[in-house]
Amino acid sequence: NPKWDINSRDVFMKKLYSRGVDSRPYFYPISLLPPYVGIDSVAPNARAIYSTGINLPSSPNLSEAQIVYICDQIKALIDENRD
């Protein structure tokens, strides 16, 4: 019985932020722009990825300690959701 819907991108991103890890949605698909609104058959894969994908901090300037911290926070959130 999960405590929260781990498949909810927005919940996951808020929980990461509360632990000091910034993230953002993966990308905004062109098919969601005004000329395409209401056309369900346009780019269903892009819409599916958009609703679940996130960008995590990435930079050649991240230290190994920062990378480990980010990974540890992701693992902790997943583990907490299992309890």
Side-chain angles (χ1 to χ4, degrees), residues 6-39:
I6 198 164
N7 296 313
S8 172
R9 177 195 65 193
D10 296 337
V11 171
F12 192 74
M13 289 172 55
K14 285 178 186 174
K15 290 187 175 289
L16 280 175
Y17 185 77
S18 73
R19 293 167 172 262
V21 178
D22 200 15
S23 62
R24 60 185 174 85
Y26 181 57
F27 74 101
Y28 193 83
I30 293 173
S31 61
L32 293 178
L33 294 175
Y36 303 99
V37 171
I39 304 173

Side-chain angles (χ1 to χ4, degrees), residues 24-56:
R24 60 185 174 85
Y26 181 57
F27 74 101
Y28 193 83
I30 293 173
S31 61
L32 293 178
L33 294 175
Y36 303 99
V37 171
I39 304 173
D40 291 334
S41 63
V42 175
N45 292 332
R47 289 178 184 215
I49 293 168
Y50 168 70
S51 68
T52 58
I54 64 171
N55 279 316
L56 296 170

